[in-house]
């Protein structure tokens, strides 16, 4: 079956910035597909998996993590030069991640509170998504990314078509699965209406409101949704926290958080 | 209050009583007949439809409390099994699954596409409500009623045995009575059950249903039990209150495509699409293609999609419905308007799911009322009670003068008229008769201090006889009748009168009123077209208006001799003189129907809102009071509901031949 010539295999690199490595682990967790993937892609750079190193250029670079330290900026620019296609993976790379919450806080105070020798720590005052620094060709959302979307992307690369990654509300997946709406039937907080799908409604399937880890979908009406959450009797600070999750730095969630922060102050 | 009708002998003969404790026998019977039973059960804090093994799975003793954006389960005071309304699931999940493989393809060795054969094992739907049967019937029309059909749906629908249950309670979100789908189940079932205190009154609606019922431990219902079943359903209708005014909703919505409310509701709408997903009739889908990594084998899966999806109307060059307001409008107008054009009915059955399951609590009933409100009678009720209103009684008036207007048209000034006529309003008409001549409707062209003017074209026996009268002659009058020009509503706006030929007659009184109050309007104008200069009415008045400052008069004729120094061309050619903000125009249009159509088209293309264009329609009238049926135009009597209409009231009846 594997008749594709080895030499024709796309050279793939996986790189990381500020992140937990969970998205890289998702690649390694593709147990059923892994052998087929390595037979079709030449994974030449993948620190989470191998100590073997290989310089660019690369056909595809998967980038995990947000830009959080001074050296990251040069590194991502260099990677971009080496990458024919650059794909960001996960909430950190696509939206700044949970660490982007520091973008609303006093960075020096945090650093002093956490580290014994804050002067040894070189970090930027903000954690930002990769797309704020270089051009990104495709992104896989989520914390962590969805294995199905990852294989779909890889398949699309090989077949030569556009990956079928839909940008629709998580609600759509709940409804197709027949999950009863947690907002309407249980009064739960849920980011599903404004969050893009791809997780197959993972949290609502387990009776939890969506955390928004896949980030805002195109045209997300975050303003109306925050108004809806406020109307349900939640104080502004709580609504702010609901938005200020893994992808809070992504617009339009960012504006809601800033707005509700102002209301508090 | 509700009297219990004794069930007719035939109906009673077909009805059976099943004790609540024996409900399990029905489920067993359905399962024994080889059917999977899908019915109500409690899961995730809601009553959903799912596979039922036994009566223990049913939600006995539970009810649902529903409001916009809110659903809660509550204990009932009794152990009724079907004491709830409709939940988040609709039967379309089983007739039209959310994910369905529709094709597979391969190019390993050979090249080909395969279509799976529909696989629809026998199933029984337990607890189908009236609105849900209506929804299944809508699906029948959508999927099976046209040239191309959905064979998977056909198989699933045919495999479904329907156990309908009458609603004996309603939610605040229910509006089946407005959509004409409930609460009573009228057909479309194999077995129908009505729950009463002690159990169920059961009725078979098909031979298959009768076969199942025959095996149940039933007995004949008592007179009281059969009566209670009827009362229980009847009480739901009362519970739901007044139905919403849905008459003409198709046309009403079509006239409101530019309503500002679309943008307002889009500001609230989060476009999650939950309304469309919960709707029992929404049928939009997309296909997802999945393949192995080489693209040698693939499957195509159809998934429920929603017109609220940002990519739903996208093509390579852009998005046809790029704004949220476009998408909301698409959904609402499809459901309540264009669905009629495509499938012969509304797409809404009034189940209320889109209201309950909207996380931001948008209520379509409120949106419909705001965007396309029921069309009020054009004009406020007539200020004056007509005299001699019944078809046979007349009030006598005297002809004071007769003034020829054109070769065939004269104006009669009547005096000694009943004061009611003097209190009439421009736009109204009278029925006028002479002994031996049947009554004809004639517009009041002018209100005078002690009489009224009627401008009459001699086209039939009565009108000819009237124009041949002499001063002092007596005539019989009934009126004033019909609706009138809403002059006050044009205050502060540009009042534009467009008249064609003798159409100036019903407008003359209006022009008098506009001129008398000209400082209340932004501007007042008259565009008047006639075939030839000789066909002009009221030439003295036209001259006076033209020289005065109260009104701008523009006149044209279709054709004229060399002595004519004015404009030549149809009346719409005068519209190039319009320089105002046309959203601030109120227009009044009368003339031959073709002239009115062209004028209205011209005004709308300049931006005059449809509800600010008033027209006076002409139809055959015999009685003038909506009893003879001659002047019917769609759902309206021109004599009683008109003759003055706002254009939006007429919808697409205006401009349509053969109405």
């Amino acid at each position: 079956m594997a008749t594709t010539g080895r030499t024709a295999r796309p050279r793939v690199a996986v790189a990381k910035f500020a992140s937990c490595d969970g998205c890289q682990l998702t690649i390694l967790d593709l147990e059923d597909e892994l052998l087929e993937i390595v037979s079709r892609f030449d994974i030449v750079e993948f620190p989470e998996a191998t100590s073997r190193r290989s310089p660019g250029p690369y056909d595809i670079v998967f980038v995990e993590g947000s830009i959080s330290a001074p050296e990251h900026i040069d590194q991502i620019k260099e990677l971009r030069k080496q990458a024919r296609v650059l794909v960001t993976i996960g909430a950190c790379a696509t939206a700044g991640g949970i660490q982007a919450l520091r973008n609303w806080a006093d960075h020096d105070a945090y650093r002093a509170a956490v580290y014994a020798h804050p002067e040894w720590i070189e970090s930027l005052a903000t954690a930002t998504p990769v797309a704020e620094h270089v051009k990104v060709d495709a992104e896989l959302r989520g914390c962590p990314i969805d294995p199905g979307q990852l294989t779909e992307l890889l398949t699309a690369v090989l077949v030569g078509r556009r990956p079928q990654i839909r940008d629709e509300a998580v609600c759509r997946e709940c409804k197709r699965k027949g999950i009863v709406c947690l907002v309407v039937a249980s009064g739960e907080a849920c980011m599903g209406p404004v969050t893009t799908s791809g997780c197959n409604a993972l949290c609502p399937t387990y009776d939890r409101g969506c955390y928004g880890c896949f980030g805002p979908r195109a045209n997300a009406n975050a303003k109306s949704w925050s108004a809806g959450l406020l109307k349900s009797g939640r104080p502004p600070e709580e609504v702010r926290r609901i938005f200020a999750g893994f992808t809070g730095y992504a617009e339009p969630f960012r504006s809601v958080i800033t707005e509700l922060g102002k209301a508090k102050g | 209050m509700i009297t219990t009708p004794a069930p007719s002998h035939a109906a009673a003969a077909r009805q059976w009583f099943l004790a609540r404790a024996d409900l399990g026998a029905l489920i067993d019977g359905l399962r024994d007949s080889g059917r999977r039973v899908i019915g109500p059960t409690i899961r995730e804090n809601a009553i959903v439809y799912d596979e039922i093994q036994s009566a223990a799975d049913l939600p006995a003793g539970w009810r649902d409390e529903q409001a916009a954006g809110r659903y809660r389960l509550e204990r009932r005071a009794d152990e009724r099994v079907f004491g709830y309304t409709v939940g988040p699931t609709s039967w379309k999940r089983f007739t039209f699954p959310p994910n369905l493989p529709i094709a597979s393809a391969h190019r390993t060795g050979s090249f080909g596409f395969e279509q799976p054969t529909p696989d629809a094992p026998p199933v029984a739907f337990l607890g189908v409500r009236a609105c849900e049967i209506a929804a299944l019937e809508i699906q029948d029309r959508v999927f099976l009623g046209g040239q191309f059909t959905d064979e998977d749906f056909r198989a699933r629908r045919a495999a479904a045995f329907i156990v309908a249950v009458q609603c004996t309670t309603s939610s605040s979100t229910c509006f089946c009575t407005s959509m004409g789908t409930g609460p009573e189940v009228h057909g479309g079932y194999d077995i129908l059950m009505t729950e009463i205190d002690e159990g169920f009154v059961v009725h078979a609606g098909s031979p298959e249903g009768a076969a199942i019922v025959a095996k149940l431990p039933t007995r004949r219902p008592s007179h009281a039990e059969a009566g209670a079943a009827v009362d229980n359903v009847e009480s739901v209708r009362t519970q739901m209150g007044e139905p919403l005014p849905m008459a003409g909703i198709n046309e009403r919505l079509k006239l409101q495509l530019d309503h500002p409310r679309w943008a307002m509701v889009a500001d609230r709408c989060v476009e999650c699409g939950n309304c469309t997903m919960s709707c029992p009739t929404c049928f939009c889908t997309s296909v997802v293609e999945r393949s192995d990594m080489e693209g040698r084998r693939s499957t195509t899966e159809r998934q429920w999609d929603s017109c609220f999806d940002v990519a739903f109307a996208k093509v390579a060059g852009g998005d046809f419905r790029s704004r949220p307001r476009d998408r909301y409008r698409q959904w609402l107008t499809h459901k309540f308007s264009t669905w009629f054009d495509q499938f012969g009915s509304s797409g809404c059955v009034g189940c209320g799911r889109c209201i309950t399951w909207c996380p931001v609590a948008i209520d379509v009933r409120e949106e419909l009322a705001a965007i396309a409100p029921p069309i009020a009678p054009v004009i406020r009720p007539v200020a004056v009670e007509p005299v001699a209103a019944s078809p046979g009684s007349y009030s006598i008036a005297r002809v004071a003068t007769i003034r020829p207007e054109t070769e065939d048209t004269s104006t009669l000034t009547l005096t000694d008229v009943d004061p009611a006529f003097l209190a009439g309003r421009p736009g109204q008409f009278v029925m006028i008769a002479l002994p031996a001549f049947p009554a004809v409707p004639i517009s009041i062209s002018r209100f005078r201090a002690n009489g009224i003017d009627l401008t009459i074209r001699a086209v039939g026996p009565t009108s000819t006889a009237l124009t041949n009268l002499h001063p002092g002659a007596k005539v019989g009058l009934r009126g004033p009748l019909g609706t009138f020009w809403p002059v006050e509503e044009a205050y502060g706006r540009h009042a534009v009168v467009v008249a064609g030929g003798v159409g100036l007659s019903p407008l003359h009184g209006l022009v008098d009123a506009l001129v008398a109050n000209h400082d209340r309007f932004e501007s007042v104008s008259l565009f008047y077209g006639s075939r030839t200069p000789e066909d002009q009415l009221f030439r003295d008045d036209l001259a006076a208006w033209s020289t005065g400052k109260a009104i701008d008069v523009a006149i044209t004729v279709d054709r004229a001799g060399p002595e004519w120094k004015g404009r030549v061309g149809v009346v719409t050619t005068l519209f190039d003189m319009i320089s105002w903000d046309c959203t601030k125009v109120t227009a009044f249009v009368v003339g031959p129907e073709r002239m009115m159509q062209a004028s209205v088209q011209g005004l709308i293309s300049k931006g005059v809102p449809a509800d600010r264009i008033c027209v006076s329609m002409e139809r055959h009238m015999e009685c003038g009071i909506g009893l003879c049926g001659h002047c019917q135009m769609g759902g309206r009597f021109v004599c009683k509901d008109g003759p003055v209409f706002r254009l939006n009231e007429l919808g697409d009846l205006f401009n349509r031949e053969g109405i």
Side-chain angles (χ1 to χ4, degrees), chain B residues 267-454:
Chain B
D267 277 349
R268 288 175 66 205
C269 174
V270 289
E271 297 196 280
C272 58
N274 287 354
C275 45
T276 59
M277 300 271 126
S278 328
C279 175
T281 69
C282 271
F283 59 85
C284 289
T285 54
S286 289
V287 291
V288 177
E289 200 71 26
R290 293 207 180 81
S291 71
D292 62 17
M293 287 200 142
E294 281 189 320
R296 290 180 173 274
R297 290 193 161 275
S298 66
T299 56
T300 309
E301 185 180 273
R302 186 188 75 188
Q303 293 186 343
W304 284 357
D305 202 347
S306 168
C307 52
F308 282 99
D309 198 283
V310 283
F312 197 76
K314 231 176 207 169
V315 294
D319 189 352
F320 285 105
R321 290 192 287 271
S322 61
R323 299 170 303 179
R325 76 179 76 162
D326 303 330
R327 297 190 283 271
Y328 191 88
R329 184 177 70 184
Q330 161 61 25
W331 178 65
L332 200 76
T333 54
H334 190 212
K335 200 100 283 190
F336 289 92
S337 177
T338 48
W339 202 293
F340 282 97
D341 309 331
Q342 293 174 314
F343 306 114
S345 74
S346 168
C348 173
V349 297
C351 71
R353 285 183 178 88
C354 59
I355 303 169
T356 299
W357 300 98
C358 174
V360 290
I362 294 170
D363 187 332
V364 283
R365 296 170 296 187
E366 286 171 15
E367 297 312 312
L368 286 172
I371 291 166
I375 293 154
V378 179
I379 317 285
R380 284 169 297 282
V382 177
V384 56
E385 275 297 311
V387 294
S390 82
S393 92
Y394 288 86
S395 139
I396 307 299
R398 194 169 50 82
V399 177
T401 61
I402 296 187
R403 208 169 39 258
E405 299 282 352
T406 68
E407 203 169 298
D408 61 359
T409 305
S410 301
T411 296
L412 276 65
T413 298
L414 304 181
T415 55
D416 296 342
V417 297
D418 187 285
F421 292 98
L422 303 180
R425 303 281 302 267
Q428 288 192 286
F429 67 97
V430 299
M431 296 300 294
I432 179 167
L434 292 169
F437 290 91
V440 291
I442 304 289
S443 302
I444 302 171
S445 56
R446 193 162 182 184
F447 292 88
R448 298 176 180 272
N450 56 351
I452 55 172
D453 282 8
L454 303 178

Side-chain angles (χ1 to χ4, degrees), chain B residues 617 619 631-638 645 650 653-654 659:
Chain B
M617 302 305 294
R619 285 292 183 276
C631 68
Q632 199 154 350
M633 185 178 178
R636 298 170 192 278
F637 293 114
V638 170
F645 292 97
L650 295 174
L653 293 182
F654 186 76
I659 295 292

Side-chain angles (χ1 to χ4, degrees), chain B residues 486-551:
Chain B
V487 179
E488 294 84 357
E489 287 182 27
Y491 284 172
R493 301 173 63 84
H494 299 283
V496 176
V497 179
V498 186
V502 291
L504 188 55
S505 164
L507 289 165
H508 188 294
L510 170 73
V511 172
D512 289 339
L514 296 175
V515 166
N517 297 288
H518 69 274
D519 49 355
R520 292 181 185 256
F521 302 93
E522 195 68 26
S523 70
V524 178
S525 327
L526 167 66
F527 297 107
Y528 182 40
S530 58
R531 272 178 299 178
T532 67
E534 293 70 39
D535 288 312
Q536 284 175 357
L537 300 184
F538 313 124
R539 260 169 275 177
D540 295 346
D541 295 324
L542 284 171
W545 292 333
S546 298
T547 52
K549 296 220 178 305
I551 183 169

